Amino acid sequence: MAFDIEMIKSVYSKVVERVDAAREITGKPLTLAEKILYTHLWDGNPTKAFERGKDYVDFAPDRIACQDATAQMALLQFMQAGKKKVAVPTTVHCDHLIQAKVGADKDLQAALNNSNEVFNFLESVSNKYGIGFWKPGAGIIHQVVLENYAFPGGMMIGTDSHTVNAGGLGMVAIGVGGADAVDVMAGMPWELKFPKLIGVKLTGKLSGWTAPKDVILKVAGIVSAKGGTGAIVEYFGPGATAMSCTGKGTICNMGAEIGATTSTFGYDESMERYLRATDRNDVADAANEIKEYLTGDTEVYANPEQYFDQVIEINLSELGPLLNGPFTPDLSTEVGGSMTEKANANDWPLKVEWGLIGSCTNSSYEDLSRASSVAQQALDKSLKTKAEFGINPGSEQVRYTAERDGILEVFEKLDAKIFTNACGPCIGQWARYEDPKNAPKNSIVHSFNRNFAKRADGNPNTHAFVASPELTAAIAIAGRLDFNPITDSLINENGEEVMLDEPTGWELPPKGFEVDDNGYLAPQEDGSKVEVVVDPNSERLELLTPFEPIGNEINGAKLLIKAHGKCTTDHISMAGPWLRFRGHLDNISNNCLIGAVNAFNMKTNFVKSQLTGEYDAVPKTQRAYKAAGIRTIVVGDHNYGEGSSREHAAMEPRHLGVAAVLVKSFARIHETNLKKQGMLGLTFANEADYDLIQEDDTFNFLDLHEFAPGKPLTIEVIHTDGSKDTVIANHTYNQGQIDWYNEGSALNLIKKENVA
């Protein structure tokens, strides 16, 4: 039986009426995304048609999911909201704070020893406020959500950018910062600009070495790492319905890498099979009663150009396996194509040292079974693997079932390390090197989603390439980036020339899923007597102090850093070893912008102080400005804040005294996070003005006292030679978001309204 089945039935009871009303109001057939959006309006039944990419809309999500790294800050904020219990079903999943080093059992115990304080805090807060708690080792948040909570036609938000994975079960699932989650936990509406719609029509059928992962790798290569910003991607067509549910999840998961608000698929038989296989017959039965309302209208899919803002068509029968990377997830290379030439031209190491399989993107039973079929061939054909293997199962249910069916044993016979059911290397929790900064240049291949520099192992010289699990296995066996399993042969230990056969696997386990202990702890019915204790001397946890409003007079502000090129949330607030401080704002602020490249010297963590004229670390320089009472601004390039949903990337500069971030363009989640924390997130009206900004500049905001929706701000930039430039800065603040700014943060406004 499903969790929260009564909530799901309640949602379904309103779908028909609300979708019919939305069709009438808009005067047209609806996409699936529109159906879900219109059925989750905060005000109930639709009364107006919303303009895509323009109208801000209040929604009522059905549930929230938080992972342990971001849950700390989210729950620390919720504790200030003055509520006795969360308003919607909420879960916390302990998957980020487990480092991959030796193997599952020892690594899990090490995490329990090292992060026990944090796990106890999360468990006690969950008990107090009615939140479901998934223990360390239970699994990766998004795989656990797919197995237990996702349902067709639902809307959820999560404090992780890959919350979008649940689109594989027909949801609109969106990654947000913790402050957004706090709004919904506190029983308030969640605001989102009504998304644009990208339709991806899939024809043909996957076969051979091509996997669902190759679909999103192809899409990323087409639209780029920012091409989906502000849009929901909806997949449809015969190729979509022929794909497994977990394959759909993989595609939706990595939609975060094109900046998409989320991605989704219409309800079909593969979703029904998955629901029934994961003991949710009740959800499948309820969905079947309204199944035509849980997918896009027939007219939409027949004439997609009339209903989507952009349409992409991919023939799966013509799609081959792809490798994306290095250093960005949208640089796509066909296997058997130009990899050798590209690698030689760019000095990418062709030798592959590791093949890593797992992460929230590709750690299902189907993924492991297909990869193991390739690994089994290495055993059967006397092939010695040239690279090392690492495996992260997606959940304890997947791990237990895969072990029962002999899948994990195949990898173990190849000396693979079976890591804990957790994120591990995918989010930088991989103890690969003693000194990553000085580690050698090398290449790895993995089935993860992101491959930014230093992402997996902290080594800036690691060239990481993204592939499907089965291709990752094949390349790990061959040990070369340019290996093409379709055409290339290998020499085995007997000196014989052999080739790998096409991978095989199971959509679902033939004997069904099985698990001994799934790792779930239900909260107490009455948590009022639960005491949440935070040691004031802790280096891991710190109760929050509300931010003071920045105010409408910013004059004499100094430039902290002008970031050159890609500046992701990994650059602004690194993960890896810094994850230990995710619950302590002051301590983690010591990593603020240390990965950003200073445009004036092309170095990281080395900026000029206008107080001393000396160069030093970004956080140290900024703390000195704060101590002197001087406001600062950060200047950035395109798609600033790409990547993770971590709101620390907004909270750290806010805590240290940065007043504004002025960039060419923002990634969606980061822009919202800045707004939530009471900061100014601005974009150059003229992108060329980025080039005007000099190292010793001072900034005066001339008309901030007139801050209003749709009205650009004027900034006077004063250079050291006395000359001045005027920069016009656009913004997307509506009146409610301006109120957040005026109060100092969205949370301050929530507290004020609760008191009232």
Side-chain angles (χ1 to χ4, degrees):
M1 182 174 178
F3 286 93
D4 309 311
I5 184 61
E6 294 307 315
M7 177 272 285
I8 295 171
K9 289 181 177 178
S10 175
V11 172
Y12 283 175
S13 70
K14 303 165 188 172
V15 166
V16 173
E17 178 185 359
R18 292 185 178 182
V19 169
D20 286 348
R23 282 200 197 103
E24 184 173 344
I25 287 166
T26 60
K28 66 181 184 64
L30 299 177
T31 66
L32 168 64
E34 289 173 310
K35 290 181 181 181
I36 297 175
L37 293 170
Y38 277 109
T39 57
H40 286 83
L41 298 176
W42 178 257
D43 292 330
N45 282 353
T47 57
K48 63 168 287 189
F50 296 106
E51 186 175 345
R52 300 175 193 168
K54 182 177 180 181
D55 289 336
Y56 280 95
V57 182
D58 286 339
F59 292 100
D62 302 314
R63 69 173 313 109
I64 299 168
C66 308
Q67 40 95 332
D68 50 351
T70 53
Q72 296 170 65
M73 197 57 68
L75 295 181
L76 284 165
Q77 291 177 86
F78 180 72
M79 288 168 64
Q80 295 188 50
K83 296 292 184 179
K84 293 182 179 179
K85 201 168 186 177
V86 291
V88 302
T90 303
T91 53
V92 167
H93 304 256
C94 296
D95 62 354
H96 273 55
L97 299 179
I98 304 169
Q99 189 175 52
K101 184 175 183 180
V102 180
D105 293 341
K106 291 183 178 179
D107 291 346
L108 179 57
Q109 188 57 54
L112 294 172
N113 295 341
N114 295 332
S115 297
N116 196 48
E117 176 188 12
V118 173
F119 295 143
N120 286 342
F121 167 75
L122 293 174
E123 185 178 343
S124 64
V125 176
S126 296
N127 253 330
K128 184 172 184 66
Y129 295 107
I131 297 168
F133 183 75
W134 290 81
K135 298 183 294 185
I140 305 173
I141 175 173
H142 310 304
Q143 179 65 29
V144 172
V145 165
L146 197 71
E147 292 175 4
N148 295 277
Y149 298 112
F151 66 97
M155 173 184 276
M156 70 175 287
I157 60 173
T159 60
D160 187 286
S161 56
H162 293 102
T163 299
V164 294
N165 188 79
L169 252 175
M171 294 194 86
V172 162
I174 301 175
V176 299
D180 273 2
V182 169
D183 283 355
V184 181
M185 289 181 195
M188 299 179 68
W190 173 63
E191 183 185 68
L192 177 73
K193 185 182 288 185
F194 205 82
K196 293 185 178 182
L197 300 175
I198 298 174
V200 181
K201 182 178 182 179
L202 302 179
T203 61
K205 190 173 182 180
L206 295 171
S207 62
W209 284 93
T210 309
K213 183 64 161 273
D214 297 305
V215 176
I216 185 57
L217 295 180
K218 179 71 172 179
V219 171
I222 293 171
V223 304
S224 85
K226 63 179 181 178
T229 302
I232 292 179
V233 182
E234 184 170 328
Y235 293 84
F236 62 94
T241 55
M243 200 178 293
S244 69
C245 177
T246 52
K248 293 177 172 72
T250 291
I251 293 170
C252 292
N253 181 297
M254 211 175 146
E257 272 51 71
I258 61 170
T261 302
T262 191
S263 304
T264 194
F265 286 77
Y267 178 61
D268 60 21
E269 292 179 0
S270 73
M271 294 185 191
E272 179 181 355
R273 290 193 297 270
Y274 188 74
L275 286 169
R276 297 193 187 282
T278 50
D279 196 27
R280 289 177 286 175
N281 287 320
D282 43 3
V283 179
D285 291 341
N288 283 344
E289 292 180 8
I290 57 167
K291 60 184 178 182
E292 66 271 22
Y293 285 84
L294 300 178
T295 188
D297 286 335
T298 303
E299 300 94 326
V300 169
Y301 294 159
N303 300 286
E305 290 80 6
Q306 296 179 26
Y307 303 101
F308 291 98
D309 298 289
Q310 179 183 356
V311 177
I312 298 168
E313 184 168 340
I314 299 173
N315 185 342
L316 302 183
S317 300
E318 298 174 356
L319 181 65
L322 299 169
L323 265 177
N324 282 29
F327 306 130
T328 184
D330 59 349
L331 179 58
S332 191
T333 304
E334 291 184 14
V335 171
S338 56
M339 178 57 78
T340 307
E341 296 162 24
K342 278 186 179 180
N344 289 332
N346 293 284
D347 199 23
W348 301 339
L350 281 168
K351 179 185 176 184
V352 173
E353 296 192 1
W354 272 86
L356 296 157
I357 294 168
S359 87
C360 61
T361 319
N362 280 106
S363 56
S364 67
Y365 184 89
E366 180 181 32
D367 291 326
L368 295 185
S369 70
R370 284 180 63 84
S372 72
S373 78
V374 178
Q376 182 65 52
Q377 293 183 56
L379 298 171
D380 295 342
K381 299 185 180 187
S382 301
L383 288 167
K384 189 171 183 178
T385 58
K386 301 291 178 62
E388 296 186 71
F389 263 128
I391 312 295
N392 282 83
S395 68
E396 176 58 14
Q397 178 167 268
V398 166
R399 188 211 64 79
Y400 191 97
T401 306
E403 182 178 58
R404 178 201 68 189
D405 294 347
I407 289 173
L408 297 187
E409 184 182 8
V410 173
F411 292 115
E412 289 171 333
K413 286 180 179 178
L414 290 174
D415 296 323
K417 285 187 178 179
I418 310 298
F419 294 127
T420 315
N421 314 318
C423 301
C426 183
I427 50 108
Q429 286 285 57
W430 186 21
R432 184 184 180 194
Y433 297 111
E434 291 293 327
D435 182 13
K437 290 181 181 177
N438 295 309
K441 190 172 184 177
N442 73 102
S443 289
I444 65 174
V445 176
H446 59 56
S447 68
F448 308 160
N449 38 52
R450 294 200 174 124
N451 56 353
F452 305 141
K454 300 192 269 189
R455 171 81 179 185
D457 58 12
N459 178 7
N461 297 313
T462 292
H463 294 56
F465 294 82
V466 184
S468 68
E470 46 267 60
L471 183 60
T472 298
I475 290 177
I477 291 167
R480 285 184 60 87
L481 271 180
D482 54 359
F483 175 67
N484 180 358
I486 302 171
T487 59
D488 296 348
S489 60
L490 298 168
I491 304 299
N492 69 10
E493 292 181 285
N494 303 321
E496 300 164 334
E497 193 173 289
V498 297
M499 291 189 68
L500 295 175
D501 301 321
E502 294 177 353
T504 59
W506 294 275
E507 175 185 353
L508 297 162
K511 300 177 186 176
F513 283 109
E514 189 176 349
V515 67
D516 184 24
D517 175 10
N518 67 2
Y520 175 71
L521 295 177
Q524 295 180 17
E525 282 295 321
D526 179 8
S528 59
K529 293 183 174 61
V530 175
E531 185 178 4
V532 179
V533 178
V534 174
D535 184 346
N537 297 315
S538 172
E539 67 166 16
R540 300 289 301 271
L541 297 165
E542 178 187 49
L543 294 176
L544 294 174
T545 300
F547 291 132
E548 293 292 330
I550 292 172
N552 60 13
E553 296 290 337
I554 301 177
N555 294 302
K558 303 299 184 182
L559 177 71
L560 173 61
I561 186 172
K562 177 179 175 180
H564 170 80
K566 187 183 283 287
C567 191
T568 72
T569 49
D570 275 30
H571 295 85
I572 304 167
S573 173
M574 288 185 178
W578 290 95
L579 285 172
R580 63 184 284 102
F581 300 122
R582 283 286 180 87
H584 197 295
L585 181 56
D586 192 58
N587 282 348
I588 199 170
S589 292
N590 287 323
N591 80 359
C592 183
L593 285 157
I594 64 175
V597 177
N598 183 353
F600 299 108
N601 57 26
M602 301 308 288
K603 295 181 179 180
T604 59
N605 204 26
F606 199 62
V607 296
K608 184 178 181 180
S609 167
Q610 293 189 46
L611 296 176
T612 66
E614 302 294 322
Y615 287 84
D616 212 327
V618 180
K620 183 178 178 180
T621 302
Q622 178 57 36
R623 286 185 187 277
Y625 283 129
K626 182 179 181 180
I630 296 173
R631 295 288 188 185
T632 59
I633 81 165
V634 171
V635 172
D637 213 317
H638 278 298
N639 209 27
Y640 184 89
E642 170 192 348
S644 166
S645 68
R646 68 191 69 149
E647 64 187 334
H648 299 75
M651 295 185 78
E652 291 174 31
R654 177 71 165 102
H655 171 68
L656 294 179
V658 176
V661 179
L662 174 62
V663 300
K664 292 180 181 178
S665 65
F666 281 108
R668 176 190 63 84
I669 300 176
H670 187 66
E671 182 182 22
T672 300
N673 286 345
L674 291 171
K675 293 178 179 179
K676 286 280 184 178
Q677 301 306 331
M679 290 181 71
L680 291 174
L682 310 171
T683 56
F684 290 102
N686 178 9
E687 290 183 3
D689 286 351
Y690 170 91
D691 298 323
L692 298 176
I693 308 302
Q694 299 174 24
E695 195 168 25
D696 294 302
D697 283 347
T698 299
F699 302 83
N700 297 321
F701 286 69
L702 302 182
D703 50 6
L704 186 55
H705 58 284
E706 299 174 358
F707 193 16
K711 183 180 184 297
L713 294 175
T714 306
I715 304 172
E716 180 183 59
V717 184
I718 304 174
H719 309 301
T720 51
D721 63 1
S723 64
K724 299 178 182 180
D725 282 302
T726 300
V727 170
I728 304 301
N730 291 334
H731 66 83
T732 60
Y733 288 74
N734 59 29
Q735 188 55 54
Q737 294 166 344
I738 292 174
D739 292 342
W740 299 342
Y741 176 80
N742 291 333
E743 291 294 332
S745 72
L747 181 59
N748 288 353
L749 189 60
I750 291 176
K751 291 170 65 178
K752 183 178 181 179
E753 292 172 349
N754 282 339
V755 170

